[in-house]
Amino acid sequence: AQKITQTQPGMFVQEKEAVTLDCTYDTSDQSYGLFWYKQPSSGEMIFLIYQGSYDEQNATEGRYSLNFQKARKSANLVISASQLGDSAMYFCAMRGPPYNQGGKLIFGQGTELSVKP
Amino acid sequence: EPEVTQTPSHQVTQMGQEVILRCVPISNHLYFYWYRQILGQKVEFLVSFYNNEISEKSEIFDDQFSVERPDGSNFTLKIRSTKLEDSAMYFCASSAGRRSNQPQHFGDGTRLSIL
């Protein structure tokens, strides 16, 4: 069975500094996708970045990058130059086979990031 | 940018009543999902839907729950007889495909409060 683990319930970072949010996963599948979502206090879920299991390069999307270490089964999110608006809950999620069942997302417990001015 | 829309944003219902949560997925998407997030907890999968039928459902999605796509645009989640433990944020999501590299786009959620 697939599983996502986020071991940091809460993190603090100074504005303009970089921060890494940890995510480890467990799956026996060879093909899978890893996603990060941001959930501000208002509650919506915002898609940030995606990494495929066969991608050789780490994904980047603006200030977000994904440190993908396949052998360690980790997919850490790096946010560079933190801004006050980055304060939110961040969820790591996995999507994989069986595709005939629609490809549900499995979520981790989340990490609450607080950016200090 | 196209987005998933959910109504209402907040629903307050008496225990035992039926509730219908509504979603309009992104127009060219084919796969639809409902997720639930109890306050302070992680997001949990409820059901996936494709080609007018359920693809997969979790153990949470019991006989009290049903989903429907009544027309070409709406996707609804019905809870027949609500319980206190159904209080949660309910998210609708849609995806262009079901492959691992295709993200699911979420609506802003409906906060359901059962009294």
Side-chain angles (χ1 to χ4, degrees):
Chain A
Q2 297 175 328
K3 187 179 177 183
I4 294 279
T5 302
Q6 294 178 254
T7 56
Q8 306 154 312
M11 291 276 288
F12 289 93
V13 65
Q14 206 68 37
E15 193 179 7
K16 298 180 187 174
E17 291 185 351
V19 63
T20 298
L21 307 183
D22 294 342
C23 172
T24 58
Y25 60 92
D26 191 19
T27 181
S28 56
D29 299 314
Q30 296 301 309
S31 176
Y32 51 88
L34 295 155
F35 301 84
W36 279 90
Y37 287 83
K38 173 183 178 182
Q39 186 177 41
S41 58
S42 48
E44 69 268 31
M45 293 285 285
I46 303 167
F47 165 66
L48 295 177
I49 194 167
Y50 155 82
Q51 179 82 42
S53 57
Y54 292 119
D55 294 342
E56 294 185 352
Q57 297 210 334
N58 287 337
T60 59
E61 197 70 51
R63 293 187 299 111
Y64 304 109
S65 60
L66 209 152
N67 184 0
F68 181 48
Q69 298 190 39
K70 194 170 181 177
R72 292 187 177 182
K73 293 190 173 178
S74 74
N76 299 337
L77 177 70
V78 180
I79 306 175
S80 63
S82 298
Q83 302 171 356
L84 295 177
D86 294 335
S87 294
M89 184 72 88
Y90 289 81
F91 288 98
C92 180
M94 172 188 289
R95 190 180 194 191
Y99 300 118
N100 63 344
Q101 290 185 348
K104 68 188 176 198
L105 286 173
I106 305 294
F107 283 84
Q109 303 92 318
T111 295
E112 184 162 10
L113 177 67
S114 299
V115 180
K116 294 181 175 180
Chain B
E1 187 175 323
E3 57 182 27
V4 176
T5 55
Q6 288 186 245
T7 54
S9 56
H10 193 187
Q11 173 85 44
V12 181
T13 302
Q14 291 288 332
M15 188 172 62
Q17 295 295 306
E18 175 183 285
V19 66
I20 297 176
L21 309 182
R22 302 181 192 280
C23 169
V24 179
I26 294 173
S27 62
N28 63 344
H29 283 187
L30 300 175
Y31 295 86
F32 314 115
Y33 308 83
W34 283 100
Y35 292 86
R36 178 181 85 174
Q37 185 182 30
I38 294 172
L39 187 64
Q41 298 187 21
K42 67 178 179 181
V43 179
E44 301 173 290
F45 168 76
L46 290 178
V47 65
S48 59
F49 191 87
Y50 168 71
N51 200 24
N52 277 323
E53 59 182 27
I54 291 173
S55 308
E56 185 182 5
K57 58 184 180 180
S58 72
E59 55 196 29
I60 302 169
F61 194 89
D62 62 22
D63 292 344
Q64 294 299 313
F65 291 88
S66 62
V67 289
E68 194 178 29
R69 190 154 160 83
D71 53 43
S73 59
N74 291 284
F75 179 51
T76 61
L77 174 69
K78 183 195 288 187
I79 309 175
R80 254 180 284 280
S81 178
T82 49
K83 309 184 193 97
L84 292 175
E85 54 264 37
D86 293 329
S87 294
M89 180 77 96
Y90 287 81
F91 290 103
C92 173
S94 71
S95 176
R98 59 189 175 192
R99 294 201 168 276
S100 61
N101 64 341
Q102 291 169 304
Q104 294 178 19
H105 296 271
F106 284 71
D108 288 350
T110 293
R111 186 171 299 283
L112 178 62
S113 301
I114 307 301
L115 304 179

